[in-house]
Amino acid sequence: MERSELLAAIKDRMPERRYIHTIGVADTAMKLAERFGENVKSAEIAGILHDSCKHADREWMKEIILQEKMDSNLLDFHHELWHGPVGAYVAKTEFAIEDEDILNAIHYHTTGRKDASDLEKIIYIADLIEPNRKFPGIEELRKAAVELDLHSLSIVCVKHSIQFLMHQNQAVFPDSFNFYNDLLIQKRG
């Protein structure tokens, strides 16, 4: 499917603000993919579909998680995490996306994970820094996105996300810690 078709297919699934965010993520992901030598079209598709289930019915998402035998630990954490894995399921079943890298980028865009691909890192970062986001520290993250390599930028972004959750007294899904630790271990070589 082309950009216009994908955007038309998801537009009614979310409020206008989320739709604007989605376009921002897709555009940011494309720029990052170009900068870091990744597939720009894959980044665009993953960016467009990453939040396709963000406003889906919670009970339905829970059913999909159980039915598809996804990580049941998800159900012990905030439902905000569910839309990534369920979104990957929808991308595959409804939008006929077969590229595992795109599916994983959608699946793990809120948490990251150990051994994340470059596309996964790009979608994770794009979701955090797209132009419509406003939160303390966003300008530093955007500056880092221009100055740092993809690996270092991933460390800065996941560190910011973990610290934010900890300051909010929220549980941090293990994949995020695994993402952070894996990036640091790789950096040490």
Side-chain angles (χ1 to χ4, degrees):
M1 293 178 91
E2 290 304 311
R3 179 185 180 100
S4 58
E5 295 172 295
L6 287 172
L7 288 172
I10 63 153
K11 186 169 182 158
D12 292 338
R13 299 173 192 228
M14 56 187 67
E16 182 70 16
R17 194 170 133 245
R18 180 62 45 183
Y19 181 71
I20 291 167
H21 161 75
T22 296
I23 293 169
V25 172
D27 292 346
T28 302
M30 292 168 68
K31 289 175 188 163
L32 290 170
E34 189 172 319
R35 177 166 176 243
F36 295 119
E38 287 300 308
N39 186 306
V40 174
K41 187 67 178 168
S42 295
E44 180 182 39
I45 292 167
I48 291 171
L49 295 178
H50 85 285
D51 272 354
S52 63
C53 291
K54 178 83 172 181
H55 297 279
D57 178 75
R58 283 187 211 163
E59 282 305 311
W60 175 77
M61 287 195 290
K62 184 177 179 181
E63 286 175 29
I64 297 297
I65 290 168
L66 294 170
Q67 168 193 308
E68 297 301 311
K69 297 178 178 39
M70 295 177 187
D71 186 348
S72 61
N73 288 325
L74 285 164
L75 301 177
D76 295 330
F77 287 80
H78 198 279
H79 64 85
E80 280 286 316
L81 295 180
W82 301 357
H83 75 280
V86 176
Y89 166 82
V90 166
K92 185 173 189 169
T93 59
E94 185 178 333
F95 293 98
I97 304 296
E98 296 178 359
D99 184 315
E100 285 298 317
D101 204 18
I102 294 173
L103 296 173
N104 285 332
I106 295 167
H107 186 293
Y108 296 103
H109 80 269
T110 58
T111 61
R113 70 170 177 150
K114 183 180 187 293
D115 297 323
S117 71
D118 286 350
L119 180 61
E120 290 175 60
K121 293 172 188 170
I122 285 168
I123 299 303
Y124 182 91
I125 294 163
D127 186 37
L128 189 62
I129 68 166
E130 64 91 7
N132 302 291
R133 289 276 199 199
K134 293 174 179 52
F135 56 82
I138 186 67
E139 291 310 321
E140 290 85 359
L141 294 176
R142 288 184 180 132
K143 185 173 185 235
V146 175
E147 297 173 351
L148 299 177
D149 62 84
L150 182 58
H151 192 88
S152 299
L153 178 57
S154 298
I155 292 171
V156 169
C157 287
V158 71
K159 183 177 178 181
H160 172 87
S161 295
I162 290 171
Q163 287 175 333
F164 172 80
L165 290 169
M166 292 175 76
H167 284 11
Q168 298 294 315
N169 290 318
Q170 299 234 1
V172 179
F173 196 68
D175 280 347
S176 296
F177 285 123
N178 292 335
F179 185 34
Y180 177 71
N181 289 336
D182 186 48
L183 290 165
L184 287 182
I185 290 166
Q186 285 180 34
K187 188 165 184 124
R188 282 197 309 240

